[in-house]
Amino acid sequence: MRVVPVIDLKGGTAVHAVRGERERYRPVRSGDPLSLARAFRSRLGLDELYVADLDAIAGAGGNDPTIAMLARKARVMADAGVSEPERARELLDLGVHRVVVGTETLTGPEALDR
């Protein structure tokens, strides 16, 4: 079995997801994504993270500096509003291990070809 912890980012803070109802998301205890990543590693031995940049997914800015910081500490799979290849390259340049392309950010099926 493979366990991959998730860090949802909103406004630079790690938030607790509530059934996809993003308006209800509130910061986790400290809200510090780096502290959360460290806890996943030290307490659970997990060095891989799935990071969802909710701001980028919603088209309301992004959390690239935080993603880059997390990518220096763990193997990061990032879902960060990718709809075009350039955005995927930007994430890889930040040090992201894998880029997740969520269907909610694609402009259509032809975007996958690009």
Side-chain angles (χ1 to χ4, degrees):
M1 175 170 56
R2 179 177 167 195
V3 176
V4 179
V6 175
I7 296 178
D8 290 323
L9 296 174
K10 188 173 181 183
T13 301
V15 296
H16 178 74
V18 180
R19 295 184 305 271
E21 300 170 13
R22 292 184 181 150
E23 66 281 353
R24 295 183 57 200
Y25 291 9
R26 299 294 177 260
V28 295
R29 263 188 214 162
S30 75
D32 177 25
L34 187 55
S35 293
L36 190 55
R38 286 183 184 134
F40 285 138
R41 172 171 262 165
S42 66
R43 294 181 186 163
L44 302 173
L46 302 172
D47 64 353
E48 185 175 41
L49 296 171
Y50 180 101
V51 177
D53 184 341
L54 302 176
D55 297 319
I57 291 168
N63 293 283
D64 284 1
T66 303
I67 293 171
M69 178 181 59
L70 291 168
R72 287 191 293 274
K73 303 294 179 189
R75 290 174 20 137
V76 169
M77 294 179 277
D79 183 353
V82 173
S83 60
E84 296 295 331
E86 296 77 32
R87 179 65 180 139
R89 284 193 228 23
E90 290 171 2
L91 291 167
L92 293 170
D93 289 344
L94 292 176
V96 166
H97 181 70
R98 291 188 186 217
V99 174
V100 176
V101 179
T103 55
E104 71 181 298
T105 57
L106 289 178
T107 56
E110 70 285 346
L112 286 173
D113 291 334
R114 290 191 299 277

